[in-house]
């Protein structure tokens, strides 16, 4: 790993709490000016890794370099070049949005005049002008998230860590956050993003690393990971739960995943003639077995499919 060309480098990071191994030797590399999405279910170790890389938690072993600085020998230098927005907005609800940002500017010792100017600039960028003089406790979840992200980039850090920044947001607020994040990266920010949302990683990341059980189980570009699943996904919805039971017996270990609540089953199919032959074979078996189908749809594979194939559970950790 190149600690000069890469903004974030980590090797062999391990962390355990009593008898539980949370991280079991994590290697990561994020090139300058790019986005790495760290994906995983609840309890996979994502937040622990972020806390280590942002100097908030010491690992049991391993080494890391942030912006070329040794994370464990030069933590103060690392702190001077990074920003962090966690899962929960770290803002003072009694202060107004503008006051929160001004206070953080003063804490960074950038001077009162500069702090006020930067706070006003960010209030405009994050579309919080109308709420600038209201206490932050009156903000919606999306507004508090935007304010928290504004606080994390107040001193324009070249390296930014976002720990599940859109958790709990409505679709409109999520899209707003995505646009803000894209603008930051366009302007040169290096970003490590943790998320449970597969579509978020697909939309924002140059590289994806999938973590499960404290280890990295896959990495690559979103397209490269999706290509591991197959060319397309065939989703078959059935007329009843009884038909679903028949399907399970008919296609043991042949399907990608199933959803018993909606009586549907998914298969991976290849491109071209091979995919067409596979689809005909599946539908022929279903017809011969007297299984009643309500809908058949084909999709391009998604990162959700990758996650299901790699971990055998959904991105929220459910089996």
């Amino acid at each position: 790993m190149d600690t000069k060309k890469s903004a974030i480098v980590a090797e062999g990071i391990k962390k355990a709490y009593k008898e539980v191994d949370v991280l079991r030797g994590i290697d990561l590399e994020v090139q300058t000016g790019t986005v790495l999405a760290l994906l995983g279910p609840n309890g996979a170790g994502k937040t622990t890794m972020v806390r280590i890389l942002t100097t908030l938690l010491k690992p049991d072993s391993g080494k890391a370099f942030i912006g070329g600085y040794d994370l464990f020998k030069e933590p103060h230098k690392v702190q001077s070049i990074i920003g962090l927005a966690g899962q929960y907005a770290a803002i003072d609800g009694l202060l107004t949005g503008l006051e929160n940002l001004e206070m953080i500017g003063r804490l960074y010792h950038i001077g009162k005049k500069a702090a006020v100017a930067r706070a006003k600039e960010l209030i405009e960028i994050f579309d919080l002008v109308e709420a600038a003089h209201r206490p932050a406790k009156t903000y919606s979840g999306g507004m508090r998230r935007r304010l928290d992200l504004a606080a994390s980039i107040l001193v324009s850090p070249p390296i930014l860590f976002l720990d599940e920044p859109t958790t709990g947001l409505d679709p409109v607020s999520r899209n707003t956050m995505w646009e803000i994040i894209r603008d930051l990266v366009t302007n040169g920010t290096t970003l490590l993003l943790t998320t449970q949302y597969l579509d978020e990683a697909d939309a924002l990341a140059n590289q994806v690393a999938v973590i499960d059980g404290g280890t990295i189980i896959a990495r690559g570009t979103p397209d490269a990971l999706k290509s591991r699943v197959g060319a397309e996904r065939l989703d078959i919805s059935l007329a009843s739960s009884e038909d679903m039971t028949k399907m399970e017996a008919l296609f043991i270990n042949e399907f990608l995943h199933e959803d018993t609540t909606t009586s549907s089953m998914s298969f991976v199919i290849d491109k071209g003639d091979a995919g067409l032959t596979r689809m005909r074979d599946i539908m022929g078996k279903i017809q011969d077995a007297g299984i009643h189908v309500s809908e058949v749809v084909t999709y391009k594979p998604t990162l959700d499919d990758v996650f299901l194939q790699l971990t055998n559970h959904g991105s929220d950790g459910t089996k």
Side-chain angles (χ1 to χ4, degrees), residues 158-169:
I159 302 171
L160 183 61
F161 295 85
L162 300 182
D163 189 15
E164 301 191 16
T166 63
T167 297
L169 296 188

Side-chain angles (χ1 to χ4, degrees), residues 172-189:
V172 173
S173 295
R174 285 184 70 205
N175 286 332
T176 299
M177 288 289 281
W178 287 4
E179 290 304 316
I180 292 169
I181 290 169
R182 289 189 184 103
D183 288 342
L184 290 172
V185 177
T186 298
N187 290 323
T189 300

